[in-house]
Amino acid sequence: MTLAKEEPGSGERDAADGYVPSQRRRDRERYKRARARRATAIGALSTLVTAVVLYLVVVSAPGWPRTKETFFDLEYAREALPKVLEGLWLNVRLLLVCGAAVLVLGMLIAVARTLRGPVFFPLRFLAAAYTDFFRGLPLIINLMIVVLGVPALRLQGVTVDPVLLGGTALTLTYSAYVAEVFRAGIESVHPSQRAAARSLGLNNRQALRYVVLPQAVRRQVPPLLNDLVSLQKDTGLVSIGGAVDAVRAADIIVGRSLNYTPYIVAGLIFVALTIPMTRFTDWVTARMDRRQAQGGAI
């Protein structure tokens, strides 16, 4: 019987956890840290070089002085910022209200599309027709039809508020996309889960509520967050009906001054709002991928 050769330093013990890595492992970790530092330095240097090259290309362009005056004027930026922020509150409210409505309506449509049995065929057909129609219809056309067409009907008791009509159009379009996300999650749950729930005495409705839907929603969190990020940006389209949101506030200043800096201000504000949600989506996706790779609950 041959005894394994003892690593250098393996006989030493750490007072905290009772283990001290071998010299070979410490060398390997030191090498990995050195490579990580080198990769970081190279990445930072290449990013800096790229930024400098792009800056020089833009600044040396023949039309840069006029472009700078038209799109990057600090005076107009200071004038536009408070008004754009005031209009942004409307976009935030639309995101919260429409986001909640989209999740509820999308879930109902997804459940309707997954109902079994011939008796539910009309419901499945209507749900499929709804998703096909609103996923194929461009959002801008949907907004124009709802915001401009509904008031033209002069229906009694129907609002003509462009904010409410614009929010309705956003909800109709995005609920079709979210419904497909939920349906994909429901169909990704293995049939054995439903069968196990039925064997425990749950009926179809209870199995769907307590077993299938919780798993489906957890699996579809990343694409749902992506849809909410898109909804956040598209709330600016309600301005086509006259609602004074961040985009419309910038448009008013542009129409008066013929300077496009307010558009840049509004765009940067939307980017500043979108980046945290995007990073949160990436974090959730990476976390779920790690749990799935480790064999944990999805």
Side-chain angles (χ1 to χ4, degrees), residues 64-238:
W64 168 244
R66 181 59 179 168
T67 301
K68 180 181 179 181
E69 179 183 350
T70 306
F71 287 91
F72 302 99
D73 192 298
L74 292 179
E75 291 295 330
Y76 287 108
R78 283 194 289 266
E79 178 187 352
L81 182 58
K83 296 178 181 179
V84 170
L85 289 176
E86 182 179 352
L88 184 68
W89 175 233
L90 175 60
N91 298 102
V92 174
R93 285 181 291 168
L94 279 172
L95 173 64
L96 296 177
V97 175
C98 294
V102 162
L103 291 176
V104 173
L105 183 58
M107 176 64 75
L108 293 176
I109 296 171
V111 171
R113 290 203 64 181
T114 56
L115 291 176
R116 301 178 179 180
V119 69
F120 295 114
F121 173 77
L123 197 58
R124 292 198 301 268
F125 175 80
L126 290 176
Y130 178 93
T131 55
D132 291 343
F133 179 79
F134 282 105
R135 290 176 70 198
L137 183 67
L139 175 58
I140 188 69
I141 295 180
N142 185 19
L143 279 162
M144 290 181 177
I145 292 174
V146 175
V147 174
L148 304 178
V150 172
L153 295 175
R154 299 181 180 178
L155 298 174
Q156 290 290 342
V158 177
T159 182
V160 294
D161 186 347
V163 176
L164 295 178
L165 293 177
T168 301
L170 289 172
T171 302
L172 290 174
T173 296
Y174 272 91
S175 60
Y177 289 99
V178 171
E180 287 300 283
V181 173
F182 279 132
R183 185 171 73 94
I186 292 173
E187 293 181 349
S188 69
V189 178
H190 198 273
S192 62
Q193 298 290 312
R194 193 186 297 264
R198 294 300 306 277
S199 68
L200 294 175
L202 277 66
N203 56 34
N204 283 326
R205 181 181 60 82
Q206 292 172 331
L208 181 66
R209 177 181 177 184
Y210 296 110
V211 178
V212 177
L213 287 183
Q215 298 183 62
V217 171
R218 283 198 301 270
R219 294 179 180 184
Q220 299 304 103
V221 166
L224 287 174
L225 290 175
N226 283 328
D227 284 336
L228 289 180
V229 170
S230 298
L231 176 61
Q232 175 181 328
K233 296 181 294 184
D234 286 341
T235 55
L237 294 176
V238 299

Side-chain angles (χ1 to χ4, degrees), residues 13-19:
R13 298 298 174 185
D14 184 77
D17 55 9
Y19 169 74

Side-chain angles (χ1 to χ4, degrees), residues 44-75:
L45 180 60
S46 63
T47 302
L48 179 61
V49 171
T50 303
V52 170
V53 170
L54 290 176
Y55 174 77
L56 293 177
V57 169
V58 172
V59 171
S60 61
W64 168 244
R66 181 59 179 168
T67 301
K68 180 181 179 181
E69 179 183 350
T70 306
F71 287 91
F72 302 99
D73 192 298
L74 292 179
E75 291 295 330

